[in-house]
Amino acid sequence: MRRADRLFAVIQALRGGRVRRAEDIAAALEVSVRTVYRDLADLQAHGVPIDGERGVGYLLRDGYFLQPLALDAAEWDA
């Protein structure tokens, strides 16, 4: 699984207002827990409103949505 796909899958796993443990996300994505912690930290550093901490669980704050991709013709060709 590409990293971008995995980051998107992590965001999708956190939707719904339920607290999710990193272990559960890792099992669903078939990656290590360490990878999930690293991905969560990267997402938080880039402004994704994820609340939680290790050993407790994580959730995505209500109202967050991903912006649609808007590429021009040159970007599509690249």
Side-chain angles (χ1 to χ4, degrees), residues 59-70:
L59 63 93
L60 186 65
R61 278 188 241 146
D62 288 338
Y64 179 76
F65 63 96
L66 293 173
Q67 297 294 328
L69 291 177

Side-chain angles (χ1 to χ4, degrees), residues 1-2 4 10 12-14 17-18 21-23 25 27 29 37 45-47 53 58 63 65 67 70-72 77-78:
M1 174 182 287
R2 293 181 320 162
V10 169
Q12 291 299 100
L14 294 174
R18 278 189 38 216
R21 297 178 330 133
E23 293 83 3
I25 296 170
L29 299 178
Y37 284 139
H46 284 92
E53 62 183 66
Y58 296 89
F65 63 96
Q67 297 294 328
L71 303 176
D72 60 29
D77 289 338

Side-chain angles (χ1 to χ4, degrees), residues 2-3 6-7 9 12 18 20 25 29 35 40 44-45 48 51 53 76 78:
R2 293 181 320 162
R3 184 168 189 268
R6 191 177 67 241
L7 292 174
Q12 291 299 100
R18 278 189 38 216
R20 303 227 190 321
I25 296 170
L29 299 178
T35 298
L40 288 167
Q44 288 172 324
V48 178
D51 293 327
E53 62 183 66
W76 275 108

